[in-house]
Amino acid sequence: VAEFDVIVLGGGPGGYIAAERLARAGRSVLLAEKTAVGGTCLNVGCIPTKALMGCAKLYDEARGSARFGVNAADVSYDWSVMQDWKARAVASLVGGVTGMLKRAGVVVQTGEAGWRGGNRVVLGGEVHRGRDIIIATGSSPVWPDIAGVAGNPLVVDSTGLLEVAAVPARLAVVGGGVIGIEFASIFARLGTAVTVIEALDEVLGVMDRSLAARLRTSAPGVDFHLGTVVEAIDGGRVTCSKGGATFGVEADLVLMAVGRRPNVTGWLAEGTGLDFDARGVRVDDRMATNVDHVWAVGDVTGRGALAHAAYRMGEVAAANILARATGGAAQVFRAETVPWAVYGYPEAAGVGLTEEACRSRGLAVASVTLPLGVSGRFVAEHGASRAGLVKLVAETASGVVRGVQLVGPYAPEIIWGAAHLLETGSTIADIRSLVFPHPSISEAIREAAWAFPTEERNPR
Ligand SMILES: Cc1cc2nc3c(=O)[nH]c(=O)nc-3n(C[C@H](O)[C@H](O)[C@H](O)COP(=O)(O)OP(=O)(O)OC[C@H]3O[C@@H](n4cnc5c(N)ncnc54)[C@H](O)[C@@H]3O)c2cc1C
């Protein structure tokens, strides 16, 4: 029996950050990882999708470069080189995390761990004891029970689509969430005819409806069927129904992207008393579960399936384990100020509440929506006719900023500033007195603040 201060189950963003922070603080840490350090994010999520998006974007921009006076003749792409590029990006970052864990002194062991209750974890046939246990087992793609899906080689999930040997001529994407939209954008930019089928009446549920609609209508090369339910899939033929009518979408490959579910099975023994259900392991804002000394972080908690949310949850759990020993102050995870990002074409990002959500909570808010044409850099690089929007939502009386959303280039790079505005309770007047670089897309946030209807006009 090996004894550790902390045992972490799962080496994705939530688990590896927690392990690293604790080991750096002098704790003995065992990190158990079933497949590959880096988890979904580095191996089959954030990073490989962004690598392929980078390749697809370059190809698409090269094809459309003549209007900028750049004539690139015979532009073509090589999917296998793109796949190599993706693999090198993944390997480089996985190597980086592995090195970081080693330098911190984390003991990393490959294998499927099982928590047996209390302080006992089984790994590789041995029982280990950890004074604290962190559950960071992540999530997996949902495979819905639709006729013709099981065993159909033409239906893949996100992991399968990342590995396809050839780019399909026609791709059907079932689900218009972030993952569906990102893959739709990648393949549309490579020339694939993409059809997105979404059961709800708009894509990207996280977004303000009007901005989601703008993103959808300005996504080149993608057809959308909203309010449409997939009834069955036969080979590459997707049978859909909408308002009582049935129709088919023909595809060479079908991406199943209807969501992910927390990995609450496999590692969890019966009778441990842990509070969990299909939505995840229940935690409080300190990432504590209902079992003393057992913490959960990341996708397995069902609280915001994003890598940076997992990082922060991992940090909070680590800080609270340390604080217990030292009597320091507890840290909390604030889900409401976690930004989201869509690396589609166009890109989008946001933080805080939508105007609709504010109103349903009884908050008196006003909003300003501006085209990104107010940004000099946007017009200079993309032209005023390209779609792009910023929306700012703030409380009418106090001017306290409640939400910021952007559709347009660099949105995911800009949004942390808006998250900071929310974290600090900043107001419209505060934004007006901030100096933004010019020309930049971020200036659109400042323009929106100055266009805000009710706040007093003088910055403090
Ligand atoms: C295609 C795709 C694109 C994405 N793009 C983005 C993006 O751009 N930005 C973003 O923020 N998020 C993105 N995400 C989401 C992001 O990947 C997840 O939110 C993030 O990886 C969650 O981290 P985690 O540590 O909770 O879990 P994971 O990263 O899922 O890691 C969990 C780890 O636990 C291991 N494990 C499970 N059970 C056991 C066990 N019993 N014993 C040992 N190990 C175990 C698994 O092998 C896995 O490595 C994307 C996801 C997908 C699928």
Side-chain angles (χ1 to χ4, degrees):
V1 175
E3 309 264 347
F4 292 89
D5 290 327
V6 185
I7 301 180
V8 183
L9 275 68
Y16 78 69
I17 280 288
E20 192 258 359
R21 298 290 194 266
L22 287 158
R24 278 207 184 284
R27 299 298 183 275
S28 59
V29 182
L30 170 67
L31 174 67
E33 169 51 53
K34 186 165 70 166
T35 46
V37 164
T40 304
C41 176
L42 263 59
N43 295 286
V44 291
C46 325
I47 300 307
T49 47
K50 267 84 256 177
L52 290 178
M53 182 49 128
C55 299
K57 183 178 173 201
L58 198 55
Y59 167 69
D60 191 26
E61 287 179 349
R63 274 196 311 175
S65 65
R67 71 191 175 107
F68 298 101
V70 178
N71 299 316
D74 300 328
V75 178
S76 64
Y77 68 80
D78 184 332
W79 180 243
S80 66
V81 176
M82 291 179 171
Q83 287 283 348
D84 283 351
W85 175 263
K86 178 197 78 176
R88 284 207 302 276
V90 169
S92 158
L93 290 164
V94 169
V97 170
T98 306
M100 177 187 84
L101 292 170
K102 194 171 177 189
R103 284 193 298 280
V106 175
V107 178
V108 179
Q109 195 173 324
T110 306
E112 183 163 4
W115 176 54
R116 293 289 172 263
N119 61 2
R120 285 170 304 132
V121 169
V122 178
L123 177 62
E126 284 180 58
V127 178
H128 302 285
R129 288 185 197 280
R131 201 175 314 140
D132 286 272
I133 312 283
I134 301 179
I135 310 295
T137 49
S139 63
S140 305
V142 169
W143 280 81
D145 193 12
I146 295 173
V149 167
N152 184 337
L154 299 186
V155 183
V156 292
D157 59 18
S158 57
T159 304
L161 189 51
L162 284 167
E163 295 298 327
V164 285
V167 172
R170 299 167 303 175
L171 175 70
V173 176
V174 184
V178 177
I179 291 175
I181 294 296
E182 289 194 4
F183 277 105
S185 303
I186 292 169
F187 285 94
R189 296 194 90 165
L190 292 175
T192 297
V194 180
T195 306
V196 174
I197 303 154
E198 167 59 51
L200 301 177
D201 59 7
E202 189 50 270
V203 295
L204 295 166
V206 66
M207 282 181 80
D208 179 278
R209 300 297 70 202
S210 61
L211 270 72
R214 177 60 64 91
L215 186 147
R216 173 173 51 78
T217 51
S218 52
V222 186
D223 272 345
F224 289 90
H225 293 295
L226 303 179
T228 303
V229 175
V230 172
E231 302 287 353
I233 304 179
D234 182 6
R237 183 181 165 81
V238 184
T239 304
C240 306
S241 72
K242 181 177 183 171
T246 302
F247 62 95
V249 171
E250 297 288 345
D252 303 299
L253 204 59
V254 181
L255 169 65
M256 199 49 76
V258 296
R260 295 178 65 83
R261 54 170 180 72
N263 292 331
V264 290
T265 54
W267 53 269
L268 180 59
E270 274 181 32
T272 58
L274 187 73
D275 185 7
F276 77 99
D277 61 21
R279 284 167 299 167
V281 175
R282 206 143 306 145
V283 285
D284 63 16
D285 289 344
R286 300 172 308 123
M287 312 320 298
T289 70
N290 66 314
V291 178
D292 203 21
H293 290 281
V294 178
W295 313 75
V297 302
D299 283 13
V300 74
T301 66
R303 301 188 70 189
L306 290 162
H308 46 276
Y311 285 139
R312 183 63 195 144
M313 289 187 235
E315 286 173 355
V316 168
N320 288 335
I321 289 171
L322 296 171
R324 244 194 190 182
T326 58
Q331 287 198 13
V332 293
F333 171 67
R334 287 181 294 279
E336 60 282 1
T337 50
V338 173
W340 50 264
V342 185
Y343 299 81
Y345 181 47
E347 295 183 348
V351 62
L353 298 172
T354 61
E355 188 171 9
E356 213 181 325
C358 287
R359 294 198 201 287
S360 68
R361 290 182 186 201
L363 285 172
V365 292
S367 73
V368 168
T369 304
L370 292 180
L372 284 193
V374 298
S375 150
R377 183 171 188 191
F378 183 78
V379 175
E381 288 185 358
H382 303 278
S385 60
R386 169 98 177 267
L389 286 175
V390 59
K391 181 166 182 174
L392 183 57
V393 181
E395 287 186 38
T396 323
S398 61
V400 169
V401 179
R402 286 293 179 173
V404 179
Q405 300 207 356
L406 282 154
V407 174
Y410 314 120
E413 300 294 340
I414 294 168
I415 207 64
W416 75 269
H420 186 69
L421 296 174
L422 266 77
E423 277 278 331
T424 52
S426 299
T427 64
I428 294 292
D430 292 327
I431 305 178
R432 287 177 181 171
S433 65
L434 275 178
V435 181
F436 288 64
H438 175 78
S440 69
I441 309 257
S442 62
E443 278 178 299
I445 294 176
R446 192 170 198 274
E447 293 290 335
W450 277 103
F452 203 77
T454 53
E455 179 72 359
E456 89 305 340
R457 312 233 17 129
N458 294 323
R460 68 181 183 206

